[in-house]
Amino acid sequence: MRRFGRLLSFLKPYRVTFVVSAVAAFTAAALDGFALALLIPFLRLLFEASPGLPDVPTFAERAIDLMAGGFVATGERATALRNVVVLVLASIAVKNGAVFTAEYLAASIQEKVARDLRTALHAHVHDLGLGYFRSAKTGQLVSRVVADADQATGIVSSALITTLQNTVLAAVYILILFSLSWELSLITLTLAPLIVLVLRPILHGLRTRIRAALDDRGELTAVMSESIEGARQVKAHGAEGYERRRFGDAADRYLSGMLGVRRLAALASPLSETLGAAVILLLLMGSWSANPEGLRPEVFLTFVVISLRLLRPVKFLSQFPALAEHSLAAADRVFEIVNRPPDDVDPPGVRHFPGLRQEIVFEDVWVAYEPGRWVLRGVDLTVSRGEVVAIVGSSGAGKSTLADLLPRFVEPQRGRVSVDGVPVSAYGRRSLRRAMGIVSQHTVIFNDTARANIAYGDDAGASDAAVRAAAQAANAHGFIESLPEGYNTVLGERGMRLSGGERQRIAIARALLRDPPIVILDEATSSLDPESERLVQEAIGRLLANRTVLVIAHRLSTVARADLIVVMDGGRLVERGRHGELIRAGGLYQRFHSLEPTGGSW
């Protein structure tokens, strides 16, 4: 019920539309019952009263006389029959109009609630820290944001309206049945719980199966996403067959899970309908055999028709638990993310970052992504304003984690990071990051224009002149101008239209447009050909001018001119000094230097 209540909260903005849809559904149900009740006067007029049977009007007939007696009882049989037909057709027409209104409004609400839930989930994902994304699978996230959000909202919109409509319809049918023969109706409804008892074991295992099937769907999406993103590696290593098998295995697991779910869900409907029909027809036959004169033919036939019509809403209501399990299982997966406390948002009262005046200080910093597995161990480092500090070391030494502390992508478990004596935790994340330009090895290019990729985020409102100036400083203006539509050319998903060097220069232009006082370069020149590296190095040289810089690099030739070089090993800062000093010291830095060829530097 708690999950259902949370889903209902998304219905609040559309409560007026929901009420209108519910009223339309109630109207449709009432008119459907009224049209069926008109069978009694229709059959009586069509076949005339049967001789020898007591002509005592039932409660339903008295109700019809009260609502439309003047229109039906005209005295002339042909006219009365015509009037009854007109009433039936009018009732059906208005009922179907109400059904359309109810279903369309309910579908509209469902789509809007799904959009709102999807938007809220997407926004919450961006409030989670980068630590979450290190373990989360992209395909699972996409599946939850897109598919699970759709499935979860069905229970609070169209399914809820349909359930209310069928509940009212069943109530109207039962009311009419009791008005025709309360004894027969009472016996029928007394035996109806047999259907529930038969269905209970079928519905019992649905939730676990549904949740497992949804997880399998997420894995299927994840495999597909990975194979598309790694298409170059797949082709380079001839792994097409392996990826087909991997996707086929995931598809088979999803198929198996969904078939199990569908088998149980599909079994509920025919069982309930067969049992219901058997109960009703056997009771009617028994009643008619025991007392053939108990009901007039038109009343008996109407009772049979309405009894059979009762099966449809009862059938839907019997399936509703299965539908609810689908929605609630999907809601579990959605709220599993929403329930994660946001760890990349600021508490009230944080300060605006005023900029760097003197120094950045890392004091006895310890960081672990998993309990007990320290990535940084007691790191102490001071970076003065205007200084270029290079961080070198082997893979896994903790270089990127150290740099991630400054923009608060990572929070230390021990120690602190401060700027001019104030902990960075005292500043709002957005204002702190606004003061930094970050260029990494894995440049992200969005499926948007070259201009939008440079003027991204906070800088989206930058002038065309400013964008062009940043591109020129980054050595990107030339190749952008050569694109089919220049700065308005869409670069494709992940910038597939560009080379690695071109993507890096777009990223540098993005940072230059921001004009940040602090720059973080994380392996920004790796995996480039010599000409691209030269252009990128020139752009980096302009980016670093008169700024405070943290440079992360494997290649020591790119950091030889740094004001300070620190060497990391196993999460600890083991050496520090300038290039020449570290070479003469003969330590780890000198060993790294001896293992690589010399090259250009900024």
Side-chain angles (χ1 to χ4, degrees):
M1 289 301 295
R2 185 177 180 182
R3 292 166 299 165
F4 184 65
R6 292 187 68 179
L7 286 172
L8 279 179
S9 67
F10 285 88
L11 197 61
K12 288 181 180 179
Y14 314 107
R15 52 185 176 271
V16 173
T17 307
F18 182 83
V19 169
V20 174
S21 179
V23 170
F26 294 163
T27 302
L31 288 172
D32 191 79
F34 178 70
L36 286 175
L38 287 172
L39 277 174
I40 298 175
F42 175 77
L43 292 172
R44 176 185 295 173
L45 291 167
L46 189 63
F47 299 111
E48 296 186 345
S50 301
L53 290 176
D55 194 12
V56 179
T58 63
F59 180 81
E61 292 173 281
R62 289 195 293 270
I64 292 172
D65 288 339
L66 182 63
M67 291 184 287
F71 188 66
V72 173
T74 62
E76 186 178 341
R77 179 170 172 243
T79 303
L81 185 61
R82 181 201 65 196
N83 290 347
V84 171
V85 171
V86 169
L87 271 180
V88 171
L89 292 177
S91 299
I92 291 174
V94 176
K95 180 203 79 170
N96 285 318
V99 167
F100 170 80
T101 301
E103 290 183 355
Y104 175 75
L105 291 179
S108 171
I109 293 171
Q110 178 173 345
E111 294 302 323
K112 291 175 181 177
V113 170
R115 176 203 60 194
D116 295 346
L117 180 60
R118 190 178 294 119
T119 302
L121 179 57
H122 180 266
H124 185 76
V125 165
H126 283 286
D127 286 338
L128 300 176
L130 291 181
Y132 172 75
F133 295 96
R134 288 187 178 94
S135 59
K137 291 185 177 181
T138 302
Q140 285 282 5
L141 282 176
V142 171
S143 179
R144 297 186 192 206
V145 171
V146 178
D148 291 342
D150 270 335
Q151 196 160 350
T153 55
I155 194 175
V156 296
S157 48
S158 59
L160 186 56
I161 289 293
T162 307
T163 301
L164 292 173
Q165 179 180 354
N166 280 280
T167 302
V168 174
L169 197 60
V172 169
Y173 288 161
I174 292 171
L175 182 63
I176 295 174
L177 291 178
F178 269 93
S179 71
L180 297 177
S181 174
W182 68 268
E183 300 96 334
L184 199 57
S185 301
L186 191 61
I187 297 172
T188 302
L189 294 178
T190 301
L191 296 177
L194 287 174
I195 300 174
V196 178
L197 293 176
V198 172
L199 292 178
R200 179 175 294 179
I202 297 174
L203 298 175
H204 179 71
L206 267 178
R207 177 172 298 181
T208 302
R209 287 175 178 262
I210 293 169
R211 178 61 191 265
L214 293 179
D215 287 339
D216 289 337
R217 182 178 65 189
E219 285 299 315
L220 183 66
T221 309
V223 171
M224 184 68 182
S225 177
E226 288 174 358
S227 63
I228 291 174
E229 291 180 3
R232 183 184 297 271
Q233 285 72 27
V234 171
K235 293 182 180 299
H237 292 276
E240 292 90 346
Y242 170 75
E243 289 298 330
R244 291 190 190 101
R245 289 191 299 273
R246 195 161 72 105
F247 185 83
D249 290 342
D252 288 342
R253 287 193 298 271
Y254 180 50
L255 171 65
S256 177
M258 284 306 299
L259 285 178
V261 170
R262 293 297 180 90
R263 183 167 55 249
L264 287 178
L267 192 58
S269 175
L271 273 179
S272 61
E273 186 170 1
T274 302
L275 289 172
V279 168
I280 290 171
L281 292 176
L282 288 174
L283 285 172
L284 288 173
M285 290 176 62
S287 174
W288 182 254
S289 299
N291 187 15
E293 296 184 356
L295 293 176
R296 286 175 283 116
E298 65 272 17
V299 175
F300 179 75
L301 185 57
T302 302
F303 192 98
V304 172
V305 171
I306 295 177
S307 297
L308 295 176
R309 291 273 295 191
L310 178 62
L311 291 177
R312 184 168 62 88
V314 170
K315 174 183 175 181
F316 177 86
L317 293 175
S318 69
Q319 291 176 310
F320 182 74
L323 176 63
E325 290 298 341
H326 275 83
S327 292
L328 292 177
D332 281 341
R333 284 168 48 84
V334 171
F335 291 134
E336 186 178 279
I337 298 177
V338 175
N339 289 340
R340 292 182 66 95
D343 50 3
D344 197 47
V345 294
D346 298 316
V350 294
R351 298 160 57 179
H352 180 82
F353 181 59
L356 173 62
R357 294 189 299 274
Q358 293 181 331
E359 61 184 13
I360 302 166
V361 179
F362 299 82
E363 303 175 69
D364 190 29
V365 174
W366 292 69
V367 174
Y369 296 124
E370 298 177 17
R373 300 186 64 180
W374 296 104
V375 180
L376 294 182
R377 302 167 180 267
V379 174
D380 291 293
L381 176 64
T382 299
V383 181
S384 299
R385 179 183 177 182
E387 194 173 35
V388 176
V389 175
I391 308 170
V392 300
S394 58
S395 296
K399 304 184 300 297
S400 296
T401 299
L402 181 61
D404 283 346
L405 288 166
L406 190 54
R408 298 186 64 191
F409 293 149
V410 176
E411 300 287 352
Q413 279 75 43
R414 302 181 194 171
R416 74 169 190 167
V417 182
S418 61
V419 177
D420 298 327
V422 179
V424 292
S425 57
Y427 297 121
R429 287 173 170 83
R430 183 165 183 175
S431 67
L432 184 66
R433 293 166 185 171
R434 184 69 181 84
M436 300 178 191
I438 302 173
V439 182
S440 66
Q441 174 185 357
H442 303 291
T443 302
V444 176
I445 300 296
F446 298 94
N447 188 26
D448 208 333
T449 64
R451 186 199 186 285
N453 269 283
I454 295 173
Y456 182 70
D458 294 330
D459 300 303
S463 67
D464 289 342
V467 172
R468 287 175 180 270
Q472 287 170 343
N475 286 337
H477 177 73
F479 78 78
I480 293 176
E481 282 287 281
S482 68
L483 294 173
E485 297 180 52
Y487 282 83
N488 293 320
T489 302
V490 176
L491 300 181
E493 189 174 359
R494 300 185 301 280
M496 294 300 290
R497 301 185 65 164
L498 306 178
S499 68
E502 289 170 341
R503 288 196 292 270
Q504 286 295 75
R505 281 177 275 166
I506 290 284
I508 294 170
R510 188 185 292 162
L512 282 164
L513 181 64
R514 172 165 289 201
D515 191 22
I518 302 171
V519 172
I520 298 174
L521 297 179
D522 189 350
E523 303 288 353
T525 61
S526 64
S527 305
L528 298 181
D529 63 85
E531 177 60 19
S532 295
E533 183 176 355
R534 182 186 66 79
L535 294 171
V536 170
Q537 292 283 13
E538 288 179 3
I540 288 176
R542 299 185 186 104
L543 176 62
L544 303 190
N546 303 315
R547 292 181 170 90
T548 305
V549 184
L550 289 178
V551 181
I552 301 168
H554 284 294
R555 297 174 59 183
L556 304 189
S557 60
T558 62
V559 299
R561 293 165 53 189
D563 299 307
L564 174 66
I565 300 173
V566 296
V567 183
M568 299 194 66
D569 184 40
R572 298 185 184 277
L573 203 158
V574 296
E575 295 179 19
R576 69 181 72 206
R578 296 181 67 89
H579 175 73
E581 297 169 351
L582 293 173
I583 291 294
R584 290 190 294 272
L588 187 59
Y589 182 84
Q590 192 279 332
R591 183 156 63 87
F592 287 155
H593 185 267
S594 67
L595 294 175
E596 69 171 37
T598 58
S601 67
W602 39 262

